[in-house]
Amino acid sequence: MLKITYIDENDISHKRVLVRADFDVSLDDSGQIIDDLRIERNVPTIKYLAQNGNKVICIAKLGRPRQRDPKLSLGVVVKRLQELLGTAFTVKLISDFLTEDKNTFDNQKPDEVLVLENIRFYPEEKQNDPEFTKKLALLGDVFVNDSFAMAHRTECSTVGLTTLLPSYGGLSVKNEIEHLEKCVKDPKRPLVVIVGGAKIKDKINFIKKFAHIADFILVGGGLANTFLASSGVNIQESLYEPENLELAQDLLQEAQKNGSKILLPVDGAVNGHSYPVDQIPAGGKILDAGPETMKLYAQVIHTGKTIVWNGPLGLFENPDYRKGTDAVFHAIIENPDARSIIGGGDTLAAISDKTGSEKITHISTGGGAMLEFIEKEGKLPALEVLKK
Ligand code: ADP
Ligand code: MG
């Protein structure tokens, strides 16, 4: 069977190594990094390669620029990476590798880490443009993909480079894959999946997949409203997707057929009060799970041997509506024997200031990539091209 070769399974030394890194962090209004988990996760790969005498050149994106945008410069990441790597390394930002003095690359030392400026500043990147890929490939002898969060995207720096350079998986990618595989291939049971967030549309295939393998699927957040509405509950003015009512019914039936239990909220928070879902006052909007739902979901989570969570259970950005999300987090850390995995950009933001995160088995850096990894049984474009 074809498989990925990781950097610690092959002798890579004294080479120029292009590392696709995951530096796509969230920034606050003043441009400071909110959560540096993604940068931190790339440190082992960078150190490992440098310690073997390689010269590391990192490629990454930040945000979604279509052209050069100073607000999305990787400068802020370079500063943080420097702190994480410590004084044994010098980290340098290359503001435009196409015009950079050739000597910068020729004279690079293994204790010097170069970071190319936000690769999405070049529109060719997103188009997986072969000519642009060639220009990137000239900088390295070897390609290492250590960006799990971009594994579902086909771009020059995720897929293109593998056509021109010997290619390997990085340590963070290895770690993500090992953890996620354990949840879907022969998981310890019961397997409890919690899915929340705004829209069914984003999570449909993820839920569908688990409708075949999970013992319980606990639904929360805005997408629970669509499930409730599809079951004939009057959710008043709550956010839901009328176009996906049928889809929601299909999912409920599919799960039932496969012996997987989909649980829906039994109550919801509206304007600081909670009501059973079939008694939401006229004009009311459910913005969080209610106490009975939290109790019910916590009980199920406590029985889990494997737990996968993606998506907040309410409008957590407003402190009045983060109780459901907090309750799920606490229920998970109260069950330390279970293998637990949490992913999703907003989900990580919702738990970022919490104590007890160390009790989570694995916090995935992939939002969309984690969902697609599960849906497609690991067959993501940037991972497939690493398999030999
Ligand atoms: P993730 O990024 O973790 O995958 P999503 O992007 O799917 O999560 O969903 C997160 C968003 O869903 C948040 O902005 C949150 O406020 C919103 N949300 C969750 N529940 C509700 C709700 N009941 N009503 C409105 N918005 C909600
Ligand atoms: Mg999100």
Side-chain angles (χ1 to χ4, degrees):
M1 203 177 75
L2 296 179
K3 62 184 277 299
I4 300 176
T5 304
Y6 295 100
I7 53 171
D8 56 348
E9 299 164 353
N10 203 291
D11 178 31
I12 305 170
S13 54
H14 306 286
K15 296 277 195 309
R16 298 174 304 154
V17 184
L18 291 177
V19 175
R20 181 43 162 105
D22 236 351
F23 294 156
D24 201 2
V25 290
S26 320
L27 303 177
D28 64 18
D29 294 340
S30 64
Q32 295 308 301
I33 296 170
I34 295 173
D35 179 13
D36 62 0
L37 178 76
R38 285 184 169 170
I39 308 175
E40 215 176 277
R41 289 281 175 85
N42 285 136
V43 166
T45 287
I46 295 171
K47 278 194 173 162
Y48 181 88
L49 290 167
Q51 277 155 6
N52 287 315
N54 298 293
K55 300 178 194 178
V56 175
I57 301 175
C58 297
I59 308 175
K61 79 157 180 105
L62 178 60
R64 297 189 177 105
R66 289 166 186 273
Q67 60 202 15
R68 209 160 264 274
D69 173 0
K71 286 203 285 296
L72 292 173
S73 166
L74 281 176
V76 63
V77 168
V78 164
K79 203 165 142 242
R80 184 72 192 114
L81 181 62
Q82 178 69 70
E83 287 162 9
L84 289 166
L85 286 171
T87 50
F89 292 88
T90 318
V91 188
K92 190 177 164 195
L93 181 70
I94 306 294
S95 114
D96 183 5
F97 75 96
L98 295 172
T99 57
E100 180 69 30
D101 184 349
K102 205 171 153 296
N103 287 325
T104 309
F105 298 105
D106 289 350
N107 301 336
Q108 185 186 359
K109 303 277 178 302
D111 63 1
E112 197 183 7
V113 175
L114 302 182
V115 176
L116 306 190
E117 183 54 288
N118 195 336
I119 200 68
R120 286 271 188 93
F121 285 1
Y122 307 87
E124 297 94 330
E125 155 72 0
K126 207 170 150 50
Q127 295 150 12
N128 191 19
D129 177 272
E131 292 307 314
F132 185 71
T133 304
K134 272 186 208 159
K135 291 176 195 165
L136 275 175
L138 286 175
L139 302 177
D141 309 307
V142 169
F143 172 63
V144 171
N145 190 346
D146 204 30
S147 170
F148 180 75
M150 285 294 288
H152 58 323
R153 299 277 181 248
T154 301
E155 306 190 356
C156 297
S157 69
T158 61
V159 169
L161 283 171
T162 65
T163 62
L164 300 177
L165 299 174
S167 303
Y168 304 91
L171 301 175
S172 159
V173 162
K174 182 179 184 181
N175 179 44
E176 291 273 4
I177 292 178
E178 282 178 357
H179 281 294
L180 291 178
E181 276 184 343
K182 279 186 195 139
C183 289
V184 275
K185 284 190 192 160
D186 199 20
K188 276 201 179 161
R189 294 186 179 278
L191 164 59
V192 179
V193 176
I194 307 109
V195 55
K199 299 197 176 107
I200 285 206
K201 184 167 69 48
D202 300 338
K203 313 270 162 112
I204 163 86
N205 292 321
F206 177 78
I207 302 175
K208 214 180 223 169
K209 184 83 203 161
F210 276 122
H212 290 261
I213 49 179
D215 296 287
F216 295 95
I217 303 177
L218 313 180
V219 183
L223 61 89
N225 297 337
T226 305
F227 277 103
L228 289 169
S230 84
S231 309
V233 178
N234 183 353
I235 53 168
Q236 300 292 345
E237 296 305 307
S238 309
L239 170 93
Y240 83 108
E241 301 148 81
E243 69 282 11
N244 288 328
L245 291 175
E246 210 173 313
L247 201 69
Q249 262 313 303
D250 291 349
L251 278 175
L252 290 172
Q253 280 166 20
E254 192 157 339
Q256 202 174 23
K257 220 170 48 205
N258 291 291
S260 170
K261 280 203 177 64
I262 294 191
L263 269 55
L264 301 181
V266 292
D267 56 356
V270 180
N271 287 333
H273 297 278
S274 42
Y275 302 91
V277 286
D278 55 0
Q279 292 169 37
I280 304 299
K285 264 189 186 148
I286 308 173
L287 292 176
D288 198 4
E292 292 305 318
T293 307
M294 293 185 229
K295 215 193 291 168
L296 173 70
Y297 285 10
Q299 277 168 2
V300 178
I301 291 168
H302 289 155
T303 68
K305 291 275 191 297
T306 306
I307 302 167
V308 180
W309 177 25
N310 179 289
L313 274 83
L315 187 80
F316 75 94
E317 294 90 341
N318 177 339
D320 294 340
Y321 297 112
R322 58 176 306 157
K323 292 195 186 76
T325 303
D326 285 352
V328 165
F329 176 79
H330 285 114
I332 295 176
I333 63 172
E334 280 156 16
N335 181 357
D337 299 333
R339 164 176 296 281
S340 53
I341 296 212
I342 302 184
D346 291 292
T347 313
L348 298 200
I351 64 161
S352 67
D353 56 349
K354 300 253 170 303
T355 48
S357 302
E358 70 285 351
K359 298 198 177 109
I360 308 293
T361 313
H362 181 64
I363 296 184
S364 177
T365 55
M370 171 180 149
L371 296 177
E372 280 195 35
F373 185 92
I374 289 170
E375 287 158 37
K376 300 186 173 147
E377 300 185 1
K379 293 193 178 61
L380 301 186
L383 303 179
E384 287 302 289
V385 292
L386 293 175
K387 294 179 183 168
K388 281 188 282 280

